[in-house]
Amino acid sequence: MGKMIYAILSNTNSDKLNALLFGMKGISGENLITVTFNEISAVVSHIKREELIADQASAIAFAGIIENIGQHFTLLPMRYGSMLESAELIQKMLEKNYSEFQQNLQKVENQSEFGLKVFCDSEKLKDEMRLKSETDDNPSVKSDEGIKKSVYLDYMNKKLKEHHLEEKLLNYIDVVIAEFTEKLTQLNAVSKIKKRCTATILIDAVFLLKKEKKDELVQVVKDSQNKHPELNYTLTGPWPPYNFVDINLK
Amino acid sequence: MDNNVIDQSKDITILELLDRVLTKGVIITGDVVISVADIDLVYLGVKLMLSSVETMEQLKAGKAIKEI
């Protein structure tokens, strides 16, 4: 028998928390209960070793439980598969990391996470850029006395043009990011942004901002999408703050 | 152009959800932790889902480029 941990939250309103958890089941069908240390609680459920199956359905059920609780409480979501042997060990873990939990809970208080992925076929976009810049004076290696026109020269020019186009694409991505981050700063949003993640995902960003600012975020993203119809924006959320809890408990 | 940027598609929502719950959030490591086998395999499935979502979005974006 072990304990699956779903989330860590502040237990200042334990009546409300217990009322919410009453009747809620964990991923193996056992009741959800709390393990508490001072003002911090972990929401857990009993689970037998033979029930420890990793599959998509269990992971989705696990996330669903966190989502439900997160609609009523500020919480720190646990990664799927976080389990300890007993309630005593969980209590010790809460005690040992108490101040870190408190700090992180304060950081995400009444905030939601949103995810933004900006898709585009970068090769097609670069083709468009190439066509548009045909009149530009693209850099190339000139043939001179030392370097005769050769396969080597053609290769160098091809690579130089590819590099130039990649640079243009990255500049373009930077411009798009700068446009919306400027507006998001006004909403006091915290952002984590990765660019050029794959050939198709140009921007992969997560934002943390006050729950009541959701509509303003949507408007910022809509405005950016309208300005760049060649890109395909996908905004998801609100999510519990998975990307904004940097805690690795030992 | 569709103005609804909040994505309602099931694939992307599940993908985003699984990516978060399997690779983000508070993590406990150490000898006292009971490990769940095969979580890596579930995440491998998520990566495969990402490929199909990317292909789908690539097609949409490709269409948009042709239109401009």
Side-chain angles (χ1 to χ4, degrees):
Chain A
M1 205 68 159
K3 298 268 189 280
M4 175 76 88
I5 313 167
Y6 299 84
I8 308 290
L9 39 78
S10 170
N11 193 25
T12 46
N13 192 346
S14 58
D15 288 346
K16 185 183 166 192
L17 179 59
N18 290 332
L20 176 69
L21 296 182
F22 184 75
M24 275 180 79
K25 302 288 183 192
I27 57 168
S28 59
E30 298 275 351
N31 290 334
L32 288 178
I33 54 169
T34 56
V35 175
T36 301
F37 177 77
N38 286 351
E39 290 187 344
I40 300 279
S41 287
V43 175
V44 308
S45 72
H46 298 289
I47 191 158
K48 292 176 188 158
R49 277 179 189 273
E50 56 269 29
E51 291 169 340
L52 303 180
I53 304 163
D55 58 17
Q56 277 196 14
S58 302
I60 289 169
F62 182 88
I65 291 163
I66 296 173
E67 171 86 35
N68 277 347
I69 303 167
Q71 284 173 5
H72 305 273
F73 290 91
T74 296
L75 56 74
L76 306 176
M78 297 295 294
R79 185 174 300 189
Y80 178 66
S82 305
M83 287 186 293
L84 289 173
E85 194 74 57
S86 65
E88 290 71 33
L89 283 174
I90 294 174
Q91 209 164 30
K92 277 183 187 167
M93 180 268 291
L94 293 177
E95 184 180 359
K96 195 175 168 188
N97 301 281
Y98 190 74
S99 61
E100 207 169 355
F101 285 139
Q102 288 278 35
Q103 283 165 17
N104 272 269
L105 280 167
Q106 274 174 14
K107 191 174 79 176
V108 299
E109 176 86 42
N110 289 322
Q111 312 234 23
S112 289
E113 178 180 312
F114 290 84
L116 174 69
K117 278 189 168 61
V118 178
F119 294 89
C120 185
D121 183 336
S122 55
E123 290 310 310
K124 281 187 181 170
L125 192 58
K126 281 201 272 190
D127 284 345
E128 290 296 312
M129 288 174 167
R130 187 182 292 123
L131 286 172
K132 279 178 187 169
S133 65
E134 266 178 352
T135 50
D136 292 357
D137 186 22
N138 285 328
S140 61
V141 179
K142 306 287 182 200
S143 177
D144 58 23
E145 286 177 8
I147 308 171
K148 300 286 178 202
K149 190 166 174 54
S150 64
V151 174
Y152 168 74
L153 192 65
D154 288 346
Y155 176 80
M156 286 300 289
N157 277 330
K158 190 178 164 226
K159 285 288 165 196
L160 199 64
K161 277 177 186 165
E162 277 174 14
H163 175 73
H164 181 64
L165 276 172
E166 182 64 26
E167 212 168 43
K168 269 192 154 181
L169 179 67
L170 289 174
N171 287 340
Y172 170 69
I173 295 171
D174 283 340
V175 168
V176 175
I177 291 173
E179 282 167 6
F180 66 69
T181 47
E182 189 192 339
K183 291 178 187 168
L184 289 175
T185 308
Q186 291 163 18
L187 302 180
N188 291 323
V190 182
S191 313
K192 288 184 180 177
I193 301 171
K194 286 186 273 184
K195 59 182 181 180
R196 195 85 165 95
C197 306
T198 66
T200 317
I201 301 175
L202 297 192
I203 301 169
D204 190 359
V206 284
F207 311 115
L208 184 74
L209 76 165
K210 290 276 179 202
K211 288 179 178 174
E212 62 267 23
K213 303 262 186 184
K214 177 189 162 186
D215 291 343
E216 289 162 78
L217 170 70
V218 171
Q219 194 55 51
V220 169
V221 176
K222 272 183 182 175
D223 290 346
S224 187
Q225 170 72 91
N226 288 333
K227 195 170 177 185
H228 302 282
E230 67 280 15
L231 304 176
N232 192 7
Y233 287 58
T234 297
L235 183 67
T236 58
W239 299 101
Y242 283 98
N243 282 282
F244 295 90
V245 286
D246 303 315
I247 308 178
N248 191 344
L249 309 173
K250 306 248 180 194
Chain B
M1 188 183 53
D2 187 5
N3 272 342
N4 189 8
V5 290
I6 290 268
D7 200 274
Q8 305 289 336
S9 93
K10 197 180 165 195
D11 281 349
I12 289 192
T13 306
I14 289 178
L15 180 73
E16 290 276 297
L17 182 147
L18 287 171
D19 184 45
R20 281 173 169 77
V21 83
L22 295 173
T23 67
K24 309 288 178 348
V26 182
I27 181 170
I28 310 176
T29 53
D31 297 339
V32 291
V33 178
I34 304 169
S35 61
V36 185
D38 297 337
I39 286 186
D40 288 346
L41 284 179
V42 182
Y43 193 60
L44 188 66
V46 174
K47 283 185 174 171
L48 290 174
M49 275 175 73
L50 176 65
S51 304
S52 67
V53 166
E54 276 190 77
T55 308
M56 193 175 69
E57 295 299 328
Q58 197 171 344
L59 289 171
K60 283 189 207 167
K63 197 178 160 198
I65 289 175
K66 277 181 194 163
E67 283 168 359
I68 59 167

